[in-house]
Amino acid sequence: MVTFTRRDEPVGFTATSVTSLSHRPPLVSLALATTSSLVPALLAAQTLVVHLLGHDTRELAMRFAEPGADRFAPPTRWRRLETGEPLLSDAAVWLRCRIRERISAGDHWLVIAEVLDSQLERPVAPLVYHDGGYGTFHTAEPGRATESTLGSARAPSTRASTPRSTPEPAVQAAPSTPAGPAAVGTSSQARPSKQVGPSEQGGRAKPGGPSKPGGPPGRNGWPDGDLGIRSA
């Protein structure tokens, strides 16, 4: 979920296209349909906050996807960061970002933002959106495949919801570990796949770079291609 301000008022929406884009510098991308009423506010904003949700906050995700809803009214819990951006208190992980580029791409605006700060608030299983429904992942017993429980709650239909960033969900999640699921962003121990939940390691991102993950290394000891971004 993405939040920012419009004339000092909080605005936000549920996005399905948020993804990691670069390791150095740490960049994420997201998209918003040109028909969305939030486009003028997004084009004027300088910063935004990306929230990654836990499995127990599906109602919050559905509320921010409902057209015409007063999304920041109770029971939504939120506060302002010291820098002014609205922060959702029930998010598992949040990333404060500075917008670097806005690109008109077909019927969407593509936004590229640099991660300035990140915080793990609570280590919980991720909220996953797939095929029109919400669910989560559970870690299987050793030696058994990890199973997912998806579609346990249906999301609002595409026509009835706030314009989503892509026609099909673009965010997928990897199975969690006993210590907690991995995350997209700048976490130091993220698993190599796109995420919507918190990282295994809490706290703010530390300078100096993350530890090298397992698996076959590529150049400079990192897995080649996009896996290197996920690992970082």
Side-chain angles (χ1 to χ4, degrees):
M1 293 166 57
V2 179
T3 61
F4 45 98
T5 58
R6 173 176 56 190
R7 294 188 294 274
D8 204 37
E9 293 296 323
V11 293
F13 64 97
T14 299
T16 59
S17 70
V18 177
T19 185
S20 55
L21 183 63
S22 168
H23 175 209
R24 296 191 180 99
L27 301 177
V28 296
S29 67
L30 60 100
L32 183 65
T34 56
T35 55
S36 171
S37 61
L38 298 180
V39 167
L42 186 61
L43 295 181
Q46 299 300 314
T47 59
L48 54 82
V49 179
V50 176
H51 303 77
L52 309 181
L53 302 182
H55 66 93
D56 54 350
T57 52
R58 66 186 64 188
E59 291 81 8
L60 184 62
M62 296 174 71
R63 188 180 312 130
F64 271 66
E66 182 180 352
D70 188 356
R71 298 168 181 173
F72 289 87
T76 299
R77 302 192 310 134
W78 68 282
R79 62 181 175 85
R80 290 189 185 273
L81 294 172
E82 293 181 358
T83 47
E85 299 89 352
L87 177 70
L88 301 174
S89 302
D90 292 323
V93 176
W94 56 266
L95 313 171
R96 178 176 173 265
C97 307
R98 177 177 58 238
I99 297 177
R100 291 182 49 152
E101 292 186 61
R102 303 170 180 85
I103 303 170
S104 178
D107 58 2
H108 278 64
W109 279 97
L110 177 66
V111 177
I112 298 175
E114 180 179 359
V115 178
L116 302 177
D117 195 7
S118 64
Q119 179 70 38
L120 169 65
E121 297 290 350
R122 52 195 183 98
V124 296
L127 180 67
V128 180
Y129 178 80
H130 175 72
D131 196 24
Y134 292 97
T136 190
F137 280 94
H138 298 285
T139 302
E141 297 177 2
R144 298 182 58 186
T146 300
E147 299 176 353
S148 63
T149 56
L150 295 173
S152 52
R154 305 302 294 180
S157 65
T158 303
R159 292 183 179 179
S161 64
T162 300
R164 287 193 171 84
S165 36
T166 55
E168 294 294 333
V171 177
Q172 302 177 7
S176 63
T177 68
V184 66
T186 58
S187 299
S188 61
Q189 296 290 337
R191 297 175 67 85
S193 57
K194 297 180 182 178
Q195 308 295 326
V196 294
S199 65
E200 296 176 10
Q201 301 295 328
R204 297 181 180 274
K206 296 180 175 60
S211 302
K212 294 182 181 179
R219 292 183 299 275
N220 301 322
W222 292 97
D224 282 329
D226 197 39
L227 292 181
I229 299 176
R230 308 292 172 221
S231 301

